[in-house]
Amino acid sequence: MPNHLKSETSPYLLQHAENPVDWYPWGEEAFCRAREEDKPVFLSIGYSACHWCHVMAHESFEDQETAELLNRWFVSIKVDREERPDVDSVYMAVCQAFTGSGGWPMSIFLTPEKQPFFAGTYFPKRRQGGMVSFGELLTLIHKKWERDRSALLSPAEEIVALLNQPKAENGKAEPELLEEAVGLYKRLFDRENSGFGSAPKFPSPHNLLFLLAYYGRRGNRDCLEMVERTLTQMVRGGLFDHIGGGFCRYSTDERFLVPHFEKMLYDNALLILAYCEAHSTTRKKLYLLAAKQTADFVLREMAAPEGGFYSAQDADSDGEEGKYYPFTPEEITRLLGSERGEAFNRHFDVTEAGNFEGKNIPNLLQSDPEGRTLDGLLETVYQYHRDRCALHLDDKILTAWNGLMIAALCHLYQANGEGKYLDAAKRADHFLWETLWDGESLHVSFRAGRRGERGFLDDYAACLFAQLALYGATLDGAYLERAEQLCRDACARFQDRENGGFYLYGEEHEALVLRPKETYDGAMPSGNSLMAWNLARLSQLASEECYGPLAERQLDFLAADAAQYPAGYAMFLLALLDYRDPPPKVTVVCSDKAEASRLPLELPAEAAVILREPGGDYPLKNGRTTFYVCRGHSCLPPVNGLSNDFSPCRSTQNPI
């Protein structure tokens, strides 16, 4: 019998709709029942492409014996972290406070009043080493709830009270933070294998964007070397899908060879940005090729017909992690024939010994990554593994992640001039405003004809980011106006005017046990960091008087947290660098409309303002299109053209 998830639209929740566990979605119905029956709540948070979520589901949630324990002693709630980032953020903070770490699946035990009292992540069906089995844990918590509830709850009350304490004070966004961060990145850099730290290694493209920007402003070649080696290693290794394009979520090893196979929209958006900027900085074809192949994968496999982009492809196929991707040499030679198959196997390191559980993840760690002699075979192999087994697609459309992809496609268009990327960005933007905007508010998600919750800070920040990118790609003032409107909305809904920063959720949202202000830049930039960047950019493009003080205050708010570990706040660092050392601002007065239409690809568009007719302080010079260039508080004489080596035209001055 289906449980209470049967009417949900989230692919993750629907994966559990036939479980014998009597799941509820997050909502008052579940908590009301818990109060009436005086039962604790078991809250399980995950997402559809999460491998260990699937493992715990198969072991425990599909198991009749475990389900009976949950149904007898608890009220069970399932949450898709991507649709309820507020619930996920609150209880992730709790999980980290309880255990020192976090992850998914997240397993939280709550009172009927939503107060957490125990937290963890994955629990096995049977005891493994030092890990208690899930059934043992359920039994222990039930006994404590019945016999010694005060002892169970009192430590949790102290932790929640501690988490609710406001930050003591803001910092001061001093330039020294930038140097400290660069020094920390240098210490973390893996000089043998590239990337930062040890396995598992995440792409963290915003780290690379900051280092590229720092190189562009300060000329620090160590920063460029770290970026280039990392980007090259990632695109040569198995983290990149050499057959179908696009990047997996992270590498399980130091060399970026063996990935965790799920593909997330946000990772690929941020990586497109990083590879585009690396190409703009170095003009190396490999980086632009990686950006194009990633974008083409997204347009081919993750684009909805209506214009938006889907969320993720699963790591598992037919219940087996990574089954979709590896090959044996025999498969390839059988498919392509002996001569071509052997050439393919040599190029992509497909061997009898294998590099992943007896099979092979195609990679170019032993080959020239720019050697494209086998391009004609890739389509055949791609179609073969598409037919061999299927990847589960999480087909919900998330506003925040779409905002990042829109921005990425705009920058790819600026890098290579191919109109299909700008067209795709415009279609996705149109979809957001037609479908995920209700006339008053953005919404988090869309699937099966239904919008999700009202939007959170990340949705507004990423959508604003997208409008600024669209403006940069087109110099159409309508996008800049929409960016300003979104900024006003975000400030009205989420800003803490008294203490600084932005809350994750607004007054119109459900009140939870915590009201977080997320600042750390993890797999994605935090909403607060992205707002700092947005405010800095708006101060340069729209109004220094209006947005400058807001940007300054937001940077100071973030500085206190960033000072503790600056390498974890790359988007904030990028905003700080951009604000303290802004790119030259170019004001263009066009002589005619035809000239205006040619400008977007010829200008440092992110720092450009286009006037389609002369007037006021900006007349034409010699009756021709005129450029007014200012840096800081000084301006150059107006000119009728910009030389190719003039710094405002170099995108290294302004990476995103």
Side-chain angles (χ1 to χ4, degrees):
M1 292 292 292
N3 50 45
H4 296 82
L5 302 180
K6 61 183 181 299
S7 298
E8 296 299 305
T9 60
S10 159
Y12 177 63
L13 298 189
L14 291 174
Q15 285 172 1
H16 295 83
E18 301 292 333
N19 289 171
V21 178
D22 189 17
W23 293 113
Y24 284 81
W26 180 274
E28 184 54 31
E29 182 182 2
F31 289 105
C32 181
R33 180 184 162 194
R35 288 191 294 271
E36 290 174 352
E37 299 181 8
D38 191 30
K39 289 180 177 179
V41 171
F42 170 62
L43 171 63
S44 177
I45 303 175
Y47 57 103
S48 72
C50 167
H51 170 69
W52 285 103
C53 298
H54 298 328
V55 172
M56 192 166 177
H58 295 323
E59 288 181 348
S60 295
F61 304 148
E62 296 172 6
D63 176 67
Q64 191 66 44
E65 180 181 350
T66 306
E68 288 175 2
L69 298 182
L70 283 167
N71 296 341
R72 186 186 316 142
W73 293 333
F74 301 88
V75 173
S76 300
I77 295 177
K78 262 288 174 193
V79 165
D80 183 338
R81 76 174 183 95
E82 296 162 358
E83 288 198 332
R84 290 301 303 261
D86 55 335
V87 174
D88 178 63
S89 176
V90 164
Y91 292 106
M92 180 60 76
V94 169
C95 185
Q96 290 170 337
F98 270 91
T99 68
S101 62
W104 300 277
M106 198 190 321
S107 303
I108 312 289
F109 292 86
L110 318 174
T111 70
E113 289 72 39
K114 305 175 188 175
Q115 292 285 338
F117 60 84
F118 188 87
T121 54
Y122 164 77
F123 292 97
K125 166 68 174 168
R126 293 177 177 82
R127 181 183 288 270
Q128 294 179 6
M131 293 182 69
V132 66
S133 74
F134 189 53
E136 289 173 325
L137 178 65
L138 296 178
T139 302
L140 179 61
I141 288 177
H142 166 67
K143 288 179 178 178
K144 283 283 188 181
W145 180 266
E146 294 294 323
R147 300 173 187 175
D148 196 3
R149 192 174 304 185
S150 60
L152 189 65
L153 302 184
S154 58
E157 292 169 357
E158 295 175 10
I159 288 177
V160 172
L162 184 65
L163 290 171
N164 267 313
Q165 288 182 355
K167 188 168 63 174
E169 59 183 21
N170 293 337
K172 188 65 178 173
E174 301 290 357
E176 288 77 10
L177 274 174
L178 303 173
E179 285 74 43
E180 291 174 16
V182 170
L184 183 52
Y185 283 124
K186 287 180 181 179
R187 291 194 294 275
L188 291 170
F189 185 66
D190 181 346
R191 299 209 164 270
E192 181 178 355
N193 300 297
S194 80
F196 299 90
S198 57
K201 285 184 176 176
F202 289 80
S204 300
H206 31 302
N207 294 343
L208 306 179
L209 286 167
F210 164 67
L211 291 170
L212 280 168
Y214 194 86
Y215 164 74
R217 307 292 173 82
R218 304 284 193 268
N220 187 314
R221 295 204 64 84
D222 287 341
C223 292
L224 181 61
E225 180 191 358
M226 289 188 288
V227 171
E228 286 212 75
R229 288 184 59 188
T230 300
L231 289 176
T232 301
Q233 185 77 358
M234 287 195 300
V235 80
R236 293 179 72 176
L239 186 74
F240 181 70
D241 178 0
H242 293 273
I243 310 304
F247 288 85
C248 296
R249 186 163 177 250
Y250 63 84
S251 175
T252 63
D253 69 322
E254 291 84 358
R255 301 174 59 215
F256 292 103
L257 172 62
V258 180
H260 186 53
F261 291 97
E262 63 199 32
K263 289 182 180 176
M264 314 300 290
L265 184 68
Y266 62 80
D267 282 326
N268 284 281
L270 293 167
L271 282 161
I272 291 170
L273 287 171
Y275 279 98
C276 282
E277 184 52 32
H279 172 260
S280 297
T281 302
T282 67
R283 297 298 167 184
K284 292 183 179 178
K285 294 179 181 179
L286 175 65
Y287 302 141
L288 184 58
L289 179 64
K292 281 174 49 65
Q293 289 178 324
T294 302
D296 290 344
F297 151 73
V298 170
L299 296 182
R300 183 178 63 247
E301 297 189 28
M302 299 188 74
E306 302 85 356
F309 297 105
Y310 300 133
S311 298
Q313 286 182 337
D314 208 324
D316 295 8
S317 298
D318 302 331
E320 181 181 330
E321 184 182 14
K323 180 179 178 181
Y324 179 82
Y325 294 98
F327 297 96
T328 64
E330 293 76 19
E331 277 184 291
I332 298 299
T333 54
R334 187 167 59 247
L335 176 68
L336 300 177
S338 176
E339 183 178 347
R340 295 194 305 168
E342 289 175 4
F344 184 98
N345 289 340
R346 283 194 302 272
H347 188 66
F348 287 109
D349 192 29
V350 179
T351 68
E352 292 292 339
N355 56 38
F356 176 72
E357 298 180 355
K359 295 184 179 181
N360 295 270
I361 299 166
N363 70 88
L364 295 175
L365 293 174
Q366 310 298 325
S367 302
D368 178 6
E370 295 188 66
R372 310 307 301 169
T373 56
L374 300 178
D375 276 355
L377 306 181
L378 289 176
E379 181 62 27
T380 301
V381 179
Y382 171 74
Q383 290 299 332
Y384 166 74
H385 83 164
R386 292 282 289 178
D387 295 337
R388 184 179 61 173
C389 60
L391 286 172
H392 170 72
L393 176 70
D394 186 328
D395 61 352
K396 67 177 178 293
I397 296 171
L398 293 166
T399 298
W401 300 8
N402 272 255
L404 296 178
M405 183 53 70
I406 289 167
L409 292 170
C410 287
H411 284 270
L412 181 53
Y413 163 71
Q414 289 175 276
N416 73 353
E418 289 190 43
K420 69 176 183 179
Y421 300 118
L422 181 60
D423 290 344
K426 287 180 175 180
R427 284 198 307 274
D429 185 64
H430 179 76
F431 177 85
L432 289 186
W433 291 105
E434 287 293 311
T435 308
L436 284 151
W437 174 259
D438 65 8
E440 296 181 355
S441 173
L442 286 171
H443 288 253
V444 171
S445 62
F446 179 83
R447 185 179 182 275
R450 287 162 54 186
R451 285 192 291 250
E453 299 287 322
R454 284 181 179 269
F456 299 97
L457 172 63
D458 291 7
D459 300 299
Y460 282 81
C463 197
L464 200 170
F465 184 68
Q467 304 312 300
L468 292 172
L470 284 160
Y471 172 73
T474 65
L475 295 180
D476 184 340
Y479 291 118
L480 189 57
E481 292 174 9
R482 188 167 274 173
E484 291 194 77
Q485 179 59 54
L486 280 169
C487 189
R488 289 191 292 270
D489 284 354
C491 290
R493 294 170 190 271
F494 308 109
Q495 190 176 32
D496 182 348
R497 290 176 175 80
E498 181 177 350
N499 300 303
F502 291 82
Y503 292 110
L504 175 61
Y505 63 84
E507 298 287 349
E508 66 207 15
H509 292 95
E510 175 187 1
L512 301 172
V513 295
L514 306 175
R515 193 178 180 198
K517 296 178 188 174
E518 295 185 328
T519 59
Y520 184 81
D521 294 332
M524 284 175 58
S526 70
N528 269 287
S529 289
L530 205 52
M531 282 303 298
W533 190 91
N534 289 334
L535 289 166
R537 183 51 45 83
L538 283 170
S539 74
Q540 296 154 8
L541 290 176
S543 168
E544 171 63 29
E545 294 77 14
C546 176
Y547 298 107
L550 291 173
E552 190 81 48
R553 190 176 187 215
Q554 180 68 1
L555 290 168
D556 286 346
F557 167 76
L558 287 162
D561 288 347
Q564 306 302 312
Y565 182 68
Y569 296 83
M571 196 70 195
F572 154 74
L573 297 170
L574 190 58
L576 177 60
L577 181 63
D578 202 27
Y579 190 71
R580 293 283 184 255
D581 188 6
K585 181 175 180 179
V586 183
T587 302
V588 188
V589 188
C590 296
S591 59
D592 57 59
K593 292 181 179 179
E595 182 71 19
S597 67
R598 290 193 292 269
L599 285 172
L601 286 176
E602 300 171 7
L603 282 171
E606 296 90 341
V609 175
I610 186 166
L611 304 177
R612 298 182 186 277
E613 57 185 32
D617 296 331
Y618 298 99
L620 290 173
K621 178 182 179 179
N622 303 324
R624 295 159 52 201
T625 291
T626 304
F627 299 84
Y628 292 81
V629 181
C630 300
R631 180 190 284 275
H633 299 289
S634 63
C635 298
L636 299 174
V639 293
N640 291 124
L642 295 176
S643 62
N644 289 334
D645 60 353
F646 185 64
S647 60
C649 290
R650 295 179 60 81
S651 65
T652 55
Q653 295 293 320
N654 224 356
I656 60 171

